[in-house]
């Protein structure tokens, strides 16, 4: 596929439906299907995988899978056939039987999903393909593991939930930040009550991606398009996922309401004008998305979450990653704790003071995770844990309801902004089963 065709496809597939979100989408569609909460994987000694999306992000995930015992890659797929071939070569070089390659156009992934020798389909493609591919996988009797955000419209969030419930197949969002060393430690501390009753969290994806967005390759071919078409929080899950787990969202709490506002858009156009040739078609683009989006979320248990997004301003990376309760607070970037009564008075202390709460996954697999290196090791821990749950017949850590709820602030923030920063009802994707 030529670059201009890929850009055009990304601009048209699903993006139009992200504008003018219908309030009706906040109401749960009728269903007779049972919940997917607490549904375990069927126990399988060897997990057989079909892999869709052999680009930059896919490369890291693929490398992790090749380093996990009893994983077989059965097929690779990409719109650029040479990339799917290169991934198949990597699997063969790692000692596996050469996977079947699918690269004959945009819909060749359907043939991969239809195979009888695949248990789990990994999806590491541009955002607008996540839902069609995940739905296709589940419709063909496979579990789906999909990159973030899982969906960009409320209708598609519901489609993932409905399909998962109807097919009895899991849709797991590959939210790697839930598996960071610090995030897993803080989750343990929350579960043990060190912060007291949890009251407030802060989450973000604040990352300077101006160069990537304007690149002529990789994610630059499609990731700038939402900035032209949409105004809101385009990428909510990295920050929100860990905070949602701290608060037990979908296990005793849920998001109920969101209000959002964006700054004006300056940063991306300013960077473009100083870095892109004057005759480039990019010079004619107008960016709708504000440089900083801030949303406020309320939960059923009376908690609050501040959620931010900016990728078009010069700044150090931060996901905020804050959790505060009646007995203490954790704040990240840098990671620091204050628990009432700790030594040192009203001063923050580092993670070494609470090292006894280090997560068991990191104790077991941390050395290899850090060696492989994906985002400090969190990528490997995420993939290892998913495969471990499958092989052991356990319930996955994340399910279709998490995929939908953590992705939903994207379209909900757009609707709030379109309605003059109005408060918007947050859908209950569990249909009451969060209780």
């Amino acid at each position: 596929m030529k670059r201009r065709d890929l850009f055009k496809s990304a601009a048209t597939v699903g993006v139009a439906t992200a504008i003018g979100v219908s309030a009706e989408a906040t109401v749960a569609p009728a269903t007779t299907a049972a919940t997917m909460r607490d549904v375990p994987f069927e126990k399988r000694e060897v997990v057989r995988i079909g892999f869709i999306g052999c680009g930059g992000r896919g490369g890291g995930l693929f490398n992790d899978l090749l380093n996990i015992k009893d994983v077989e890659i059965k097929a690779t797929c990409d719109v650029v056939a040479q990339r799917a071939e290169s991934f198949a070569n990597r699997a063969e070089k790692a000692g596996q039987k050469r996977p079947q390659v699918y690269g004959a156009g945009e819909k060749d992934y359907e043939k991969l999903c239809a195979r009888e020798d695949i248990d789990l389909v990994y999806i590491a493609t541009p955002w607008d393909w996540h839902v069609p591919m995940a739905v296709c996988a589940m419709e063909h009797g496979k579990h789906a593991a999909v990159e973030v955000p899982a969906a960009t419209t409320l209708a598609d969030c519901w489609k993932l939930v409905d399909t998962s419930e109807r097919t009895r197949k899991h849709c797991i969002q590959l939210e790697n930040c839930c598996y960071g060393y610090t995030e897993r430690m803080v989750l343990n501390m929350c579960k043990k009550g060190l912060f007291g009753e949890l009251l407030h969290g802060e989450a973000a994806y604040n990352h300077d991606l101006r160069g990537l967005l304007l690149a002529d390759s990789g994610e630059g071919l499609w990731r700038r398009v939402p900035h032209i078409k949409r105004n809101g929080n385009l990428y909510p899950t990295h920050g929100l996922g860990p905070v949602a787990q701290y608060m037990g969202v979908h296990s005793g709490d849920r998001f109920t309401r969101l209000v959002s506002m964006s700054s004006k858009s300056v940063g991306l156009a300013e960077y473009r004008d100083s870095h892109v040739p004057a005759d480039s078609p990019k010079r004619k683009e107008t960016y709708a998305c504000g440089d900083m989006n801030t949303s406020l979320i309320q939960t059923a248990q009376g908690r609050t979450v501040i959620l931010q997004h900016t990728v078009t301003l010069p700044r150090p990376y931060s996901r905020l990653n804050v959790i505060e309760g009646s007995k203490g607070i954790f704040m990240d970037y840098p990671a620091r704790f204050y628990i009432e009564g700790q030594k040192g008075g009203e001063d923050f202390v580092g993670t070494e003071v609470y090292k006894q709460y280090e997560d068991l996954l990191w104790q077991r697999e941390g050395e290899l995770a850090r060696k492989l290196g994906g985002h400090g090791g969190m990528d490997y821990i995420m993939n290892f844990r998913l495969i471990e749950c499958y092989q052991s017949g356990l319930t996955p850590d994340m399910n279709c309801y998490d995929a939908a709820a953590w992705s939903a602030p994207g379209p909900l923030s757009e609707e709030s902004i379109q309605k003059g920063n109005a408060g918007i009802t947050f859908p209950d994707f569990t249909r009451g089963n969060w209780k």
Side-chain angles (χ1 to χ4, degrees), residues 19-34:
I19 307 302
V21 178
S22 170
E24 295 178 357
T26 64
V27 179
T31 183
T32 59

Side-chain angles (χ1 to χ4, degrees), residues 231 261-266 288-294 310 313 417:
N231 183 18
M261 58 187 69
S262 284
S263 73
K264 63 181 181 179
S265 177
V266 176
C289 194
D291 287 315
M292 172 62 81
N293 176 270
T294 302
T310 177
L313 296 174
I417 291 166

Side-chain angles (χ1 to χ4, degrees), residues 64 176 179-181 362 365-366 368-383:
D64 288 340
N176 58 330
Y179 293 89
Y181 177 86
W362 276 93
E365 302 295 328
L368 178 56
R370 293 183 178 95
K371 181 179 178 181
L372 293 173
H375 294 99
M378 65 171 67
D379 292 0
Y380 178 79
I381 296 293
M382 173 190 70
N383 290 304

